[in-house]
Amino acid sequence: MQQQRGQWSGRLGFILAAAGSAIGLGNLWKFPYVTHQNEGGAFVLIYIAAVILVGFPIMAAEVILGRRAQHSPVGTFSILSRGRPGGRLWSAVGFLGVGAGFIILSYYSVVAGWTLHYVLLALQGKLATLAGDPGALQDHFLNEFLASGTQQVSYHLVFMAATVGAVYFGVKNGIERVAKVLMPLLFAIILFLLVYSTTTSGFGDAMRFLFRPNFGDLEPSAILEAVGQAFFSLSLGMGAMLTYGSYMQKKSSIPRSVLEICILDSAMGILACVIMFSIIFTFDLEITQSATILFTTLPTVLVQLPLGDVVLGLFFVLVAFAALTSTVSLMEVVSSFAIDELGWNRQRATLVMGSVIGAFGVLSALSLGANSTLSELNLFGKESTGGVFSSLDYLAANWMLPVGGLLIAVFVGWVLKSSDVRDELETGHGPLGSMFSMLRVALRYVAPIAVGAIIFSIIFLGAEYQ
Ligand code: PHE
């Protein structure tokens, strides 16, 4: 099996794929939306702290595990835990990750489908007209599009098919080539919009909203959500980075690559917020549903540019692609589990698992207004988790990923031999000196205690979730 494992062509291959996994709807759709729900300021600051203190070390831990074991998450834990404390029990972390990947992909692909709808609207020449009137755009999105079961399910299934297609044809071929061209283009548009947003009258308000923290009424629940969002956005806690690490060459530097990915990913989310909130404050947009921000703010500005309709269409093509490089990494975790542990071939693993996830995702697709039972099903008793879609997002992003990440940190910090961890980190990088001790402290103490304390306070101290 080992010989068949593909490898990235050098460090850039890994960075592109891992950044492709990290950068996606989590940055462009979800971060602005949860920031809006949690009133900015303190939330953004905690998010940044979570990326530095918890995200960076755990991403390094995942890549170390993957590159060391050269296996899927489940296999990795059973191989590396042999003869160590806890033994095979650690495989549970791998299963938890496969479960999280399954759940996230099922609803993520619904949102990814929305981008396809926008591309289609742009091709038909309808998007520019809608975007010319923010009210009409919101109305279309909420009342026609989300409420249409047929459309929600169709776009979701088309996106799942695209994901399955990309994974079906192997690691390098599918993803790497396109990522090289389209990711920089997405960055260029975002930077352009950033420059534009500094000229708007709402820019100052946006900066105050995002960066002036008010810790007064911060709930532990918002802290959990910020941490959950960091895990979600960095693709951590479920083995995606572990799987990509398993394709990483030994001559590539883990710490440097991980640092670059963390910076790129956080920049993308924060810039997206600066742009979207500048637009919201400038045009005094009333956001009735936070989850639609990406789809109702940027179009209103892009459409005013010369060749606005073309730029608008192109922008959603790029977002769709950013989403695809993320769904591919989610699919990769689930199918490489079936390949390595169930002995299926890649084609079978991808087709079967992809079909099951696609079918399960129909429940989320119908829970956004099309079917009232699914829309009202509230699994966690929290107001904003109403509906299958939000309940699954809440479960996976705020619980499964942080718990998975906590266990990964404990495994690398306490269970693996320190000399092995150091060896893997220094391979391709060179001696780390005191950097290694810092990372080790982060993995042994900081990350587990931070995540553990939040979970503890919510479960045992009954801290209210909003
Ligand atoms: N990080 C991706 C995004 O921000 C989502 C994702 C989560 C991908 C977990 C893989 C694993 O869009």
Short mmCIF file of all heavy atoms in Angstrom, two decimals, residues 21-27 104 108 232-235 238 240 326 329-330, ligand 1:
data_model
loop_
_atom_site.label_atom_id
_atom_site.label_comp_id
_atom_site.label_asym_id
_atom_site.label_seq_id
_atom_site.Cartn_x
_atom_site.Cartn_y
_atom_site.Cartn_z
N SER A 21 -7.42 23.31 1.33
CA SER A 21 -8.35 22.71 2.28
C SER A 21 -8.81 23.74 3.30
O SER A 21 -9.99 23.87 3.60
CB SER A 21 -7.68 21.54 3.00
OG SER A 21 -8.44 21.16 4.12
N ALA A 22 -7.85 24.50 3.82
CA ALA A 22 -8.18 25.45 4.88
C ALA A 22 -9.04 26.60 4.36
O ALA A 22 -10.06 26.95 4.95
CB ALA A 22 -6.89 25.99 5.50
N ILE A 23 -8.63 27.18 3.24
CA ILE A 23 -9.36 28.34 2.73
C ILE A 23 -10.58 27.88 1.96
O ILE A 23 -10.46 27.07 1.04
CB ILE A 23 -8.45 29.18 1.81
CG1 ILE A 23 -7.29 29.75 2.63
CG2 ILE A 23 -9.24 30.30 1.15
CD1 ILE A 23 -6.26 30.45 1.81
N GLY A 24 -11.71 28.35 2.38
CA GLY A 24 -12.94 27.93 1.71
C GLY A 24 -14.11 28.70 2.27
O GLY A 24 -13.98 29.86 2.68
N LEU A 25 -15.24 28.03 2.33
CA LEU A 25 -16.44 28.69 2.83
C LEU A 25 -16.29 29.06 4.30
O LEU A 25 -16.97 29.96 4.78
CB LEU A 25 -17.64 27.78 2.63
CG LEU A 25 -17.94 27.45 1.17
CD1 LEU A 25 -19.00 26.37 1.06
CD2 LEU A 25 -18.39 28.71 0.43
N GLY A 26 -15.40 28.37 5.00
CA GLY A 26 -15.17 28.70 6.41
C GLY A 26 -14.69 30.14 6.57
O GLY A 26 -15.05 30.82 7.52
N ASN A 27 -13.89 30.61 5.62
CA ASN A 27 -13.38 31.98 5.69
C ASN A 27 -14.37 32.97 5.09
O ASN A 27 -14.60 34.03 5.64
CB ASN A 27 -12.08 32.11 4.88
CG ASN A 27 -11.12 30.99 5.17
OD1 ASN A 27 -11.43 29.82 4.93
ND2 ASN A 27 -9.97 31.32 5.69
N ILE A 104 -19.58 17.11 8.17
CA ILE A 104 -19.29 18.44 7.62
C ILE A 104 -19.52 18.46 6.11
O ILE A 104 -20.18 19.34 5.57
CB ILE A 104 -17.86 18.89 7.96
CG1 ILE A 104 -17.71 19.07 9.47
CG2 ILE A 104 -17.52 20.20 7.24
CD1 ILE A 104 -16.32 19.41 9.93
N TYR A 108 -21.77 21.15 4.14
CA TYR A 108 -20.88 22.11 3.48
C TYR A 108 -21.20 22.16 1.98
O TYR A 108 -21.20 23.21 1.36
CB TYR A 108 -19.45 21.63 3.70
CG TYR A 108 -18.35 22.61 3.38
CD1 TYR A 108 -17.78 23.38 4.39
CD2 TYR A 108 -17.84 22.74 2.10
CE1 TYR A 108 -16.74 24.26 4.13
CE2 TYR A 108 -16.80 23.61 1.82
CZ TYR A 108 -16.26 24.37 2.85
OH TYR A 108 -15.23 25.23 2.58
N PHE A 232 -12.53 24.77 12.47
CA PHE A 232 -13.23 24.58 11.19
C PHE A 232 -12.45 25.24 10.06
O PHE A 232 -12.19 24.64 9.02
CB PHE A 232 -14.64 25.18 11.31
CG PHE A 232 -15.50 24.96 10.10
CD1 PHE A 232 -16.23 23.77 9.97
CD2 PHE A 232 -15.61 25.91 9.10
CE1 PHE A 232 -17.03 23.56 8.86
CE2 PHE A 232 -16.42 25.69 7.99
CZ PHE A 232 -17.13 24.52 7.87
N SER A 233 -12.06 26.48 10.30
CA SER A 233 -11.42 27.23 9.23
C SER A 233 -10.04 26.66 8.87
O SER A 233 -9.63 26.68 7.71
CB SER A 233 -11.30 28.70 9.64
OG SER A 233 -10.79 29.45 8.58
N LEU A 234 -9.33 26.15 9.88
CA LEU A 234 -8.00 25.59 9.60
C LEU A 234 -8.07 24.11 9.21
O LEU A 234 -7.04 23.46 9.06
CB LEU A 234 -7.09 25.77 10.82
CG LEU A 234 -6.75 27.22 11.21
CD1 LEU A 234 -6.12 27.28 12.59
CD2 LEU A 234 -5.80 27.84 10.18
N SER A 235 -9.26 23.58 9.08
CA SER A 235 -9.46 22.16 8.76
C SER A 235 -8.81 21.24 9.79
O SER A 235 -8.17 20.25 9.44
CB SER A 235 -8.88 21.79 7.38
OG SER A 235 -9.38 22.59 6.38
N MET A 238 -9.98 16.72 12.61
CA MET A 238 -10.65 15.55 12.04
C MET A 238 -9.77 14.76 11.08
O MET A 238 -10.23 13.80 10.48
CB MET A 238 -11.96 15.93 11.37
CG MET A 238 -11.97 17.14 10.49
SD MET A 238 -11.42 16.86 8.81
CE MET A 238 -12.60 15.69 8.23
N ALA A 240 -7.98 15.93 8.33
CA ALA A 240 -7.73 16.40 6.96
C ALA A 240 -6.26 16.76 6.78
O ALA A 240 -5.61 16.34 5.83
CB ALA A 240 -8.62 17.60 6.64
N SER A 326 -11.78 22.43 -0.50
CA SER A 326 -12.08 22.04 0.88
C SER A 326 -12.90 20.75 0.93
O SER A 326 -12.61 19.85 1.72
CB SER A 326 -12.84 23.14 1.62
OG SER A 326 -12.08 24.33 1.65
N SER A 329 -10.83 17.73 0.47
CA SER A 329 -10.06 17.26 1.62
C SER A 329 -10.95 16.53 2.62
O SER A 329 -10.51 15.61 3.31
CB SER A 329 -9.32 18.42 2.30
OG SER A 329 -10.22 19.26 2.98
N LEU A 330 -12.21 16.95 2.71
CA LEU A 330 -13.14 16.24 3.60
C LEU A 330 -13.41 14.84 3.04
O LEU A 330 -13.38 13.84 3.76
CB LEU A 330 -14.46 17.02 3.69
CG LEU A 330 -14.39 18.34 4.47
CD1 LEU A 330 -15.53 19.27 4.08
CD2 LEU A 330 -14.44 18.05 5.98
N1 PHE B 1 -11.45 24.65 6.38
C1 PHE B 1 -12.52 24.54 5.43
C2 PHE B 1 -13.08 25.92 5.21
O1 PHE B 1 -12.76 26.82 5.93
C3 PHE B 1 -13.56 23.56 5.89
C4 PHE B 1 -13.01 22.25 6.36
C5 PHE B 1 -13.17 21.87 7.67
C6 PHE B 1 -12.29 21.44 5.50
C7 PHE B 1 -12.64 20.69 8.16
C8 PHE B 1 -11.74 20.26 5.97
C9 PHE B 1 -11.90 19.89 7.27
O2 PHE B 1 -13.86 26.13 4.34
#
